[in-house]
């Protein structure tokens, strides 16, 4: 944790809420307002944990509100995925709402603004709007349509609703101040025309409210007390307040801004994530390399680890990039404690134990977790032929190599000591098989004469091993800020997925459930994928390595 962050329990938003409760004895109402135009990502998790977390902490309520005002880009698939992801993250909404539920009310409020002479229908085209808007240093100019009568505006606005105009022909604008130093206050658009099919209201509407108008009014309709949003809306707050003050809505929520989450080596813009999916750079929204909630879930990230991450990064008013290692460490810590252990050989090398009786198989006892007895034990079969990792053997090992080599003895985890007696090679000189002997006195990995063995390696029994495919995932991008690159695709990590489809896991892994994580001893944390591969093999996704292999690279 860096100095400028604060943990959520004492972050400035919680402090403010606490103060409001003390001073105004209010009951807290927050909302999480996603637009259903894509899948949720890790950045949304921050907002979800904040909004739902505050409601929970202060006995308030939190609504899930779909901000569905862009009919072209939104659909039911996204709505359903968002609901699923919020629930999976461990939160439940007090009410489920859609901004489209309020279209009629929003329309009536707009009529009220017109009646107050605070809104007008404007026919400037996009280019003219830009020209009239002015710049940061120059005041804008009033639209020639600004002084229309209330009657004329009411008539035009109703005709906009009735579909008498084409897209872009006119908009409804707030009448505020074209000379305001805040450009958002220079008569912003409130409604635009869109002849589009909406996933919920179908063709009922051809005018749609703009975000800045719909958002504050929806917050007020729901009696939201604290409307938490990201920093880019700070300059929109005067408009948020102007609309609600002008309309004298029964409730006037406070907008409070906080910094967006951005993670290095990751993109968290829905537009960019869409591009990755649409152009098939990844295997869909739930590709385990995606920073989407559904992708992290498929990769085996526990929801609790994501919540823990959101706690640790805290809530600030300053944008910063978080080291993705922080997220990975939350996952590692969670899994170190929770994941049962298992053995899986990724790159198999066959070992024949020549003094072990042919046709015999015995069951050895293995603990499911070295530090948690309560997770119990399982039995793993041992027999004359086993697989070990190719990397655990060297024909001419250097001094510090404590694994297997000709004439060397090593401990097979939970099993016996074995000594390599011979090496079988193919025509090209590659080692394809080892011959060993075992010491029957060392059952369970303990030596009766106290002789010291430095190396312990994992293995599986060849006869009963489960053939599996293992997907090792790495970061999708190999530059720290891919979203800022001219072309994010240039930063795609070509080695973000390594498929090993000749792996062998201990037989108990046939019963592994998707999303349940295991530590494959000495290798990493893995989760079974939702589907088997095309050859019917069980697939495991690597959730995270045992240690942060990037720590040196990124420092
Ligand atoms: P994008 O730019 O990726 O489309 P968005 O902000 O438009 O993101 P919404 O669906 O509108 O996405 O966001 C819903 C809520 O989640 C908003 O309140 C938004 O502020 C919040 N949110 C989105 N991205 C982040 C992020 N990276 N960090 C924190 N909160 C976020
Ligand atoms: Mg948005």
């Amino acid at each position: 944790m860096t100095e400028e962050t604060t943990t959520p329990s004492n972050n400035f938003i919680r402090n403010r809420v606490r103060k409001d409760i003390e001073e105004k004895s209010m009951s807290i109402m927050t909302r999480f307002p996603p637009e259903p135009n894509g899948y949720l990502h890790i950045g949304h998790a921050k907002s979800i944990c904040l909004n739902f977390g505050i409601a929970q902490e202060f006995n308030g309520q939190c609504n899930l509100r779909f901000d569905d005002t862009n009919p072209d880009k939104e659909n039911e698939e996204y709505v359903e995925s968002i609901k699923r992801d919020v629930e999976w993250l461990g939160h439940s909404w007090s009410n489920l709402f859609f901004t489209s539920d309020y279209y009629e009310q929003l329309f009536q409020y707009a009529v009220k603004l017109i009646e107050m002479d605070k809104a007008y229908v404007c026919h400037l085209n996009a280019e003219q709007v830009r020209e009239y808007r002015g710049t940061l240093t120059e005041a804008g100019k009033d639209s020639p349509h600004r002084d229309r009568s209330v009657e004329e505006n009411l008539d035009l606005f109703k005709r906009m609703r009735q579909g008498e105009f084409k897209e872009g022909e006119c908009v409804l604008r707030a009448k505020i101040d074209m000379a305001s130093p805040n450009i958002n206050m220079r008569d912003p658009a409130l409604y635009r025309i869109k002849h589009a099919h909406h996933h919920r209201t179908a063709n009922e509407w051809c005018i749609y409210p703009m975000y800045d108008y719909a958002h504050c009014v929806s917050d007020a309709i729901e009696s939201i007390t604290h409307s938490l949003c990201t920093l880019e809306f700070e300059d929109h707050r005067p408009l948020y307040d102007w609309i609600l003050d002008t309309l004298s809505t029964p409730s006037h929520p406070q907008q409070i801004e906080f910094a967006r989450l951005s993670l290095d080596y990751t993109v968290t813009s829905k537009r960019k994530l869409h591009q990755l999916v649409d152009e098939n750079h990844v295997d869909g929204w739930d590709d385990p390399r995606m920073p989407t909630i559904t992708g992290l879930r498929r990769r085996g990230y526990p929801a609790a680890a994501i919540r823990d991450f959101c706690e640790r990064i805290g809530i600030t008013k300053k944008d910063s990039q978080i080291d993705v290692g922080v997220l990975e460490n939350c996952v590692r810590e969670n899994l170190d404690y929770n994941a049962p252990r298992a053995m899986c050989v990724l790159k198999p090398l066959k070992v024949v134990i020549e003094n072990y009786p042919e046709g015999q198989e015995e069951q050895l006892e293995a603990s499911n977790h070295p530090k948690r007895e309560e997770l119990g034990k399982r039995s793993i079969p041992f027999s004359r032929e086993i697989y070990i990792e190719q990397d655990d053997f060297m024909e001419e090992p250097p001094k510090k190599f404590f694994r297997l080599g000709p004439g060397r003895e090593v401990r097979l985890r939970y099993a016996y000591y074995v000594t390599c007696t011979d090496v079988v090679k193919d025509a090209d000189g590659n080692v394809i098989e080892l011959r060993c002997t075992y010491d029957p006195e060392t059952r369970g990995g303990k030596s009766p004469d106290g002789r010291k063995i430095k190396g312990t390696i994992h293995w599986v029994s060849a006869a009963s091993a489960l053939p599996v495919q293992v997907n090792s995932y790495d970061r999708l991008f190999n530059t720290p800020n891919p979203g800022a690159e001219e072309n994010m695709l240039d930063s795609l990590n070509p080695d973000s997925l390594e498929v090993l489809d000749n792996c062998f896991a201990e037989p108990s892994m046939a019963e592994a459930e998707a999303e349940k994580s295991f530590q494959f001893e000495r290798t990493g944390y893995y989760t079974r994928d939702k589907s088997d591969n095309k050859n019917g093999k069980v697939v495991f996704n690597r959730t995270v390595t045992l240690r942060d292999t990037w720590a040196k690279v990124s420092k």
Side-chain angles (χ1 to χ4, degrees):
M1 184 155 318
T2 56
E3 275 157 10
E4 67 270 40
T5 61
T6 51
T7 55
S9 51
N10 70 354
N11 72 55
F12 74 98
I13 295 183
R14 271 183 157 90
N15 292 343
R16 174 113 162 239
V17 170
R18 205 174 280 125
K19 194 159 154 264
D20 285 342
I21 293 175
E22 279 162 18
E23 289 175 3
K24 304 176 203 162
S25 68
M26 49 166 53
S27 54
I28 298 306
M29 180 70 107
T30 56
R31 85 287 171 266
F32 171 62
E35 184 181 350
N37 63 349
Y39 281 64
L40 297 182
H41 52 64
I42 184 74
H44 292 112
K46 175 175 178 177
S47 176
I48 291 171
C49 290
L50 178 65
N51 280 294
F52 284 93
I54 283 191
Q56 202 171 11
E57 181 176 338
F58 298 105
N59 280 323
Q61 297 191 28
C62 180
N63 294 340
L64 173 59
R65 183 201 314 142
F66 287 99
D67 191 3
D68 55 347
T69 53
N70 285 317
D72 306 332
K73 299 198 173 134
E74 301 162 355
N75 67 41
E76 275 309 305
E77 176 195 346
Y78 300 138
V79 168
E80 288 309 313
S81 75
I82 290 169
K83 282 159 58 177
R84 203 162 50 235
D85 289 348
V86 170
E87 284 183 321
W88 179 74
L89 276 172
H91 295 290
S92 33
W93 45 88
S94 309
N95 301 285
L96 178 66
F97 290 130
F98 291 81
T99 301
S100 54
D101 295 336
Y102 310 137
Y103 279 172
E104 186 60 41
Q105 266 168 291
L106 287 162
F107 180 82
Q108 295 305 338
Y109 272 124
V111 167
K112 191 170 160 192
L113 284 177
I114 297 173
E115 287 168 350
M116 296 167 79
D117 199 19
K118 293 292 184 188
Y120 62 98
V121 173
C122 177
H123 290 273
L124 294 183
N125 63 32
E127 199 185 318
Q128 292 167 318
V129 166
R130 257 195 305 280
E131 187 194 318
Y132 276 73
R133 191 187 293 132
T135 63
L136 282 174
T137 49
E138 232 177 285
K141 288 186 296 190
D142 286 358
S143 157
H145 313 119
R146 200 174 198 262
D147 293 322
R148 285 196 155 119
S149 69
V150 167
E151 289 67 35
E152 194 184 356
N153 279 317
L154 283 174
D155 176 60
L156 286 167
F157 187 49
K158 283 175 187 159
R159 285 163 55 197
M160 276 171 70
R161 177 177 180 170
Q162 280 154 13
E164 285 188 32
F165 301 102
K166 290 202 283 290
E167 284 185 19
E169 221 178 317
C170 50
V171 294
L172 182 72
R173 294 176 75 174
K175 194 188 264 191
I176 311 180
D177 178 6
M178 288 306 292
S180 170
N182 182 340
I183 290 183
N184 295 301
M185 299 297 272
R186 295 184 187 170
D187 291 9
L190 304 176
Y191 267 91
R192 82 274 196 213
I193 295 168
K194 210 157 217 348
H195 293 280
H197 182 269
H198 185 281
H199 68 105
R200 294 185 77 241
T201 57
N203 298 321
E204 194 185 334
W205 293 87
C206 62
I207 54 171
Y208 289 93
M210 303 298 290
Y211 174 89
D212 278 332
Y213 173 67
H215 202 82
C216 57
V217 177
S218 304
D219 280 348
I221 290 172
E222 291 175 21
S223 300
I224 300 301
T225 54
H226 298 82
S227 176
L228 313 178
C229 64
T230 37
L231 280 180
E232 69 270 26
F233 291 103
E234 195 164 16
D235 289 344
H236 298 235
R237 186 171 2 121
L239 176 57
Y240 186 104
D241 289 331
W242 181 90
I243 293 172
L244 298 187
D245 283 339
T246 307
L247 287 170
S248 307
T249 45
S251 98
H252 188 138
Q254 313 172 46
Q255 174 178 307
I256 308 173
E257 308 85 17
F258 64 96
R260 279 180 102 75
L261 166 65
S262 58
L263 270 182
D264 58 11
Y265 298 94
T266 310
V267 295
T268 45
S269 134
K270 267 188 270 180
R271 189 175 55 77
K272 298 203 165 95
L273 296 174
H274 254 290
Q275 188 188 351
L276 293 172
V277 173
D278 296 344
E279 297 175 5
N280 296 314
H281 301 292
V282 293
D283 171 27
W285 287 98
D286 69 347
D287 184 300
R289 293 164 295 183
M290 289 282 273
T292 50
I293 303 301
T294 181
L296 299 175
R297 178 177 179 180
R298 183 167 165 207
R299 182 154 173 177
Y301 280 31
I306 297 175
R307 290 196 301 267
D308 180 32
F309 168 72
C310 293
E311 280 278 318
R312 284 194 210 182
I313 57 172
I315 303 291
T316 64
K317 265 268 192 216
K318 209 173 109 211
D319 279 319
S320 65
Q321 236 191 5
I322 307 284
D323 179 351
V324 64
V326 176
L327 174 60
E328 290 164 351
N329 269 330
C330 290
V331 174
R332 247 179 228 117
E333 265 178 43
N334 181 294
L335 295 181
D336 179 41
Y337 184 76
N338 289 306
R341 275 41 175 178
M343 293 199 287
C344 178
V345 172
L346 302 185
K347 294 182 181 159
L349 174 62
K350 186 170 248 184
V351 177
V352 179
I353 301 163
E354 293 187 305
N355 59 340
Y356 194 88
E358 252 176 272
Q360 177 174 312
E361 186 183 78
E362 67 181 299
Q363 297 294 327
L364 296 167
E365 199 172 66
S367 67
N368 287 329
H369 198 293
K371 289 175 241 148
R372 295 182 62 198
E373 244 174 68
E374 72 275 19
L375 293 188
K377 294 188 185 325
R378 68 192 186 286
S379 48
I380 37 180
F382 184 79
S383 62
R384 185 179 155 90
E385 293 194 355
I386 62 170
Y387 294 116
I388 65 166
E389 295 286 353
Q390 288 167 14
D391 287 351
D392 283 337
F393 172 81
M394 277 182 92
E395 202 172 5
E396 289 167 30
K399 231 174 160 200
K400 288 252 163 85
F401 187 82
F402 298 118
R403 293 167 261 169
L404 211 51
R408 292 188 174 218
E409 191 173 40
V410 79
R411 180 190 293 107
L412 296 177
R413 182 91 164 129
Y414 309 115
Y416 295 97
Y417 291 6
V418 290
T419 304
C420 177
T421 52
D422 206 357
V423 172
V424 182
K425 295 183 181 178
D426 65 11
D428 301 324
N430 301 310
V431 176
I432 50 165
E433 199 175 295
L434 302 181
R435 299 289 154 88
C436 286
T437 55
Y438 85 118
D439 177 353
E441 301 299 315
T442 57
R443 193 171 197 269
K446 289 183 254 343
S447 98
D449 58 6
R451 71 181 184 274
K452 285 222 166 64
I453 294 284
K454 279 221 166 130
T456 300
I457 64 175
H458 60 279
W459 55 276
V460 292
S461 168
S464 53
L466 177 75
V468 298
Q469 172 180 321
V470 172
N471 297 337
S472 294
Y473 294 102
D474 204 341
R475 295 174 184 178
L476 187 54
F477 293 98
N478 52 22
T479 57
N481 193 359
E485 305 280 323
E486 203 169 307
N487 182 358
M488 104 180 136
L489 301 179
D490 293 341
S491 312
L492 279 173
N493 175 6
D495 304 319
S496 61
L497 169 60
E498 182 193 20
V499 175
L500 296 171
D501 58 4
N502 185 33
C503 314
F504 291 100
E506 60 174 78
S508 67
M509 288 298 100
E511 268 87 61
E513 290 163 31
E515 293 177 31
K516 181 165 163 46
S517 297
F518 294 88
Q519 185 195 92
F520 288 166
E521 295 201 45
R522 302 178 63 229
T523 309
Y525 295 98
Y526 293 83
T527 296
R528 184 174 180 164
D529 195 49
K530 60 179 183 182
S531 38
D532 297 346
N533 77 5
K534 59 181 187 303
N535 301 319
K537 279 190 189 180
V538 171
V539 176
F540 280 93
N541 296 321
R542 184 170 75 196
T543 310
V544 67
T545 50
L546 289 179
R547 274 170 288 278
D548 185 358
T549 51
W550 282 70
K552 274 185 248 108
V553 182
S554 50
K555 288 280 134 57

